[in-house]
Amino acid sequence: MSIHQFGKKFITLLYTLTRACRIYDLNNDVVITAGQKFYQFINSLFDIFENIEIVRYRDYIFFNKQRLRFEIEGYASLQFIDNRLKHLDIKTIVISKGIEKDEIMRFITIFKETKDIFMNEIKQKSFPHIFVEFKTTKDEIPDFLQNGERTKKVYFKALMVTKNLMQNLWVNRTVDVRSSKRVVYNLIDTLSRDEFGLLALTTIKNFDEYTFNHSVNVGILSLALGQRIGLSKKDLVKLGTAGILHDIGKVEIDKGIIYKPGRLSTSEWEIIKLHSNFGVRQILKTRGLDEVSLYAIVVSYQHHWNYNGTGYPPRKEDEHPIFFSNIVRITDCYDAMTTFRPYQPTPYIPPLAIKVIWAKRGILFDPVIVKAFTQLLGVYPVGSCLKLSSQEIGLVVRQNPGHIEHPIIKIILDSKGKKVDGHTIDLSLDKKVSIINPVYPQKYSINPASYFV
Amino acid sequence: MVTEVEKIIIEMVKVTKAFQMYGMEHPSFKSFFTPFYKKITEFLNHNRELKLQVERFTILYQDKEIYKETEKELSIAFRLFRDGIRNIGFTDGLTADELLLFLDIISKQSKDQDIALNLWEADFSHIEFYVVDEEEEEELQYKIPEAPIENIDYDEILNHIRKKEKIDFEEEIKPDLNNTELSYLKNEILKVEKEPILGPAISTLINFLQTEQFSDIIDSLTELAKYSLDQQDFTNAHTIVVKIKELTEKNIIEKFENEMQIASFKNIVDILDEKKFNEFLDFISLFSKKAIPHLLNLTTSIKRPERLNAMRNRIADIAQDDPSPLLNFLESKNEAILINAISILGIMNIPASVEYFEPLITHPSIRVRSALITALAKFEKPELIAQLLNDPEIEVRIKALRALCRIKYPKIYPVLIQRIKSKKFHDYEFTEQKEIFNCLVANGDIQTIKLLKQILFRRLLFGRKRYKTMRHLAAMALAQINSPEALDVLNKGMHTRNKDIRNACQQALTKK
């Protein structure tokens, strides 16, 4: 079992026990059984670990320094424990060797209570093997979590490598496959440490060279979605590579058409549509025929195939897109909708794009993947600007797992429209402020990306 | 503690060298590996982790140099450093398998090898590492692109989008997945893990080929066909060959009908399941006559008779009406090849081949002569089979008699009578005697009953006991004829005073 799996099991058992204690008294069989299982599991962990450390930092939960991912499976338990820790303002819980069942049960009886009761009881009663550290107002970053800089480096490196790759292909030069492989691996590693940080960087859009940013963004969004639904690391490599390379066929299309300002003519659109075909050839040229490339080839060819059988290139009735193509169909569409393009000078704001994708589930998009995607980004994805009931403008800086309509925002404009370095509000907790509607950041001369870099 | 780690690294260097020299299975490697693994796990048990810093030619522990090798070819530090690895950490719980895989990765010295990528792919639970890219060590400049500033009424844009999309923007979004949807996702993930991408990839490349005949695509498909064959995926290989021919008129099958490729099927024909075997047969039916010699070689490795027959039939199909690729093999010194060539020619049933068979009638191998009879029977060439009635081996003679029973050769009748009447007949084994009578019946005429009656009722002064068998064989032959005349003879025999005749007739009528 990996640390991540130990962590997931720990959270599931803690969830079961806490839930049981909320419903039944301590003598109930359900509670006794859940307590016994939790106790046994903790004891088995001490054969491997010195201590058990649970840290909640921002919206991540770490088990012995390993971040636990919010995956579709086990989502409820992780979300429940996350909410408990958040509600109780707990930053760290450390359980040490020698703990007895009685101490665990005493702790659980207060863990299920309100913040006041919990704080009071934890100070009053003796918990020799349980150490609790509360969150401070400074919200200091744990040592092992100072990832921000690294995340940015990984993003910009990915951008640079993708740009080099496509530019070299444009002029028929050889490409550096090793670097592009490393990019995907680094993105996956970064996602497991700092998912929201990396997702926030996908708000970076580039009007002049949108293809490169778009490719990286689609790669990241696909990887984050793949990670959320529980794909293995090996399969994430395939998905991430396919995401980054999905539009690579565009290098065969005249730049004059790709960057043509204004509307494209029908014949120009027909040429653009050929990029799905051309992608096949480019990937073969670039990467040869390993398994990862085969996925990239198929996804590049199928990423404009709609769920209802429409789309291009034309297909036979019995041909269906593979799972990864269905993922990239959504992430590609989302990033394209929210990106400036010569023929789309005013992109959709992220909440609008989410609404459109949601409405077209089962028509253009696989409805189940749309649900998972919406869980990932929320109704107001990171980078969205929201007008608040306080007349302030808030920028969505974090998703709130389990509260897709109530993200964590940062106030960036005060009620008079003046730029401020405002405070952060968790809209799931702070009920005084509510969202009026999402707004275009450009209306207020705001570039959301600048807040994340 | 530093000394302890230094010793571990010295051991690691030895193990790595042993690995490069002998490989993982060799006892010498194991003799180095076992103490090394013991040492490192003991250290980890006490200290929980072992973190090493990597520099160009050195490895440091707690900032103290514990390894130095400036010879690039030999230096473990250099190999790690070159691929961007700056830290390596081992944690408690490290398994022998993990350590072996780690050694395997760091021991390879190819220039194309990327240790960082390989370590990453290995996805270790108890080995951590930190990799830097060249640019990362310098400073990567971040630049946020500016959005174009235009004088736009954004509220109007929002309204415009709402109208254009024709969707209900007020619809509540509830993305919770129900059990069916979760199962769907799990199933899709399982499919990614279990189902090969080969099929969709081949379809994609074929689709592309329909729009454009790009030579790289043909090469790639050819490579995929090769890969498919290696994976025993004959259906995909078949599809590729057929589609390329259909779309480009290029026949890539010649790339697969070579000796090496066909020899690679040697170990699989007997073990493929029924479905796969039929797919395999479908694939080889695409081969041209050029493949026949190699396929003939392949048949020699097939143990399962029904598979061997299926293969012989398929080779006969490939040869079509031209026996020439097989005729050369009738002089083969390899008995198995010779037998298969004879069998396939027999299946093909081309009269012109017969003349090539004649010299084989005296072939020293019983199996060859036996195969010859089967083939000749298919040709309906009894005169050659008849020659084998004089074969020194009883198995061959019996097989020839049986063949002559089936294909009818009246000319053999007098030969058989002569044989029955000869004194030597009594020396034949009963099985052969019986087959001679069977053959007599099969090739006889109206006179046969008369002859058999004579044999059955023959009066004897001496040798009654020895003649008992003759009566028995004659009675059985009459029962086999089963005509009213023959049965009449048997019924008559039932009422004679001769006990031997009575018994023989009774037994024959009962068995009938």
Side-chain angles (χ1 to χ4, degrees), chain B residues 148-247:
Chain B
I149 298 164
E150 289 183 41
N151 198 8
I152 292 171
D153 181 346
Y154 287 98
D155 295 331
E156 182 51 37
I157 291 285
L158 271 177
N159 287 334
H160 171 74
I161 291 172
R162 282 168 192 270
K163 273 184 202 160
K164 185 182 126 192
E165 289 293 348
K166 291 180 189 149
I167 57 168
D168 177 10
F169 279 92
E170 305 313 318
E171 186 194 350
E172 196 184 349
I173 293 181
K174 283 187 175 166
D176 289 336
L177 293 158
N178 59 36
N179 286 338
T180 318
E181 290 165 334
L182 275 173
S183 304
Y184 166 80
L185 279 181
K186 274 188 189 171
N187 191 36
E188 287 297 320
I189 292 167
L190 209 66
K191 270 181 8 196
V192 173
E193 284 163 9
K194 306 276 178 211
E195 284 182 17
I197 186 66
L198 206 56
I202 290 168
S203 300
T204 302
L205 293 177
I206 288 170
N207 284 342
F208 184 91
L209 208 56
Q210 277 168 335
T211 56
E212 196 183 329
Q213 291 188 7
F214 177 55
S215 65
D216 279 7
I217 301 282
I218 298 173
D219 293 346
S220 299
L221 278 168
T222 309
E223 215 176 299
L224 287 182
K226 170 89 185 70
Y227 178 75
S228 304
L229 290 178
D230 293 345
Q231 302 295 309
Q232 297 168 15
D233 183 347
F234 305 105
T235 308
N236 271 326
H238 188 277
T239 308
I240 292 172
V241 176
V242 170
K243 281 287 176 187
I244 289 183
K245 196 170 178 191
E246 195 181 298
L247 297 169

Side-chain angles (χ1 to χ4, degrees), chain B residues 319-496:
Chain B
Q320 293 171 339
D321 292 332
D322 177 11
S324 53
L326 290 150
L327 291 176
N328 290 338
F329 290 95
L330 294 183
E331 286 169 16
S332 173
K333 299 277 179 251
N334 181 320
E335 185 186 276
I337 288 184
L338 179 55
I339 290 169
N340 284 317
I342 292 169
S343 305
I344 296 162
L345 284 165
I347 295 165
M348 289 167 70
N349 200 3
I350 295 164
S353 326
V354 176
E355 63 176 289
Y356 295 89
F357 282 2
E358 276 195 68
L360 297 171
I361 286 174
T362 54
H363 194 279
S365 160
I366 302 175
R367 290 181 64 218
V368 170
R369 298 197 304 272
S370 182
L372 197 61
I373 294 168
T374 313
L376 288 169
K378 284 189 178 143
F379 281 110
E380 301 207 349
K381 286 285 173 190
E383 60 276 22
L384 285 178
I385 300 175
Q387 288 185 36
L388 287 152
L389 289 184
N390 296 322
D391 197 276
E393 296 297 332
I394 179 175
E395 290 92 339
V396 178
R397 292 197 302 271
I398 287 176
K399 192 162 181 183
L401 285 163
R402 284 178 183 162
L404 289 171
C405 277
R406 279 197 305 278
I407 53 175
K408 307 272 192 291
Y409 183 49
K411 280 184 185 171
I412 202 69
Y413 188 72
V415 177
L416 296 172
I417 289 176
Q418 201 185 5
R419 194 159 289 195
I420 289 168
K421 286 182 173 170
S422 73
K423 284 184 182 171
K424 224 176 128 190
F425 186 79
H426 297 286
D427 299 333
Y428 292 157
E429 281 184 24
F430 179 71
T431 322
E432 189 173 0
Q433 291 172 336
K434 198 176 132 204
E435 291 299 339
I436 291 172
F437 272 87
N438 286 346
C439 195
L440 190 79
V441 169
N443 290 288
D445 53 16
I446 191 96
Q447 294 299 314
T448 315
I449 297 174
K450 208 175 156 186
L451 174 77
L452 292 170
K453 189 180 170 186
Q454 278 173 13
I455 296 169
L456 181 64
F457 288 101
R458 189 171 171 190
R459 290 169 188 272
L460 292 165
L461 291 175
F462 306 104
R464 261 188 66 192
K465 200 175 171 187
R466 199 170 159 203
Y467 201 74
K468 219 166 138 180
T469 312
M470 286 296 273
R471 290 190 210 285
H472 179 71
L473 288 166
M476 293 299 282
L478 284 162
Q480 205 180 330
I481 294 171
N482 200 20
S483 67
E485 294 85 357
L487 294 176
D488 191 40
V489 174
L490 288 173
N491 283 326
K492 223 173 179 179
M494 290 277 285
H495 298 98
T496 60

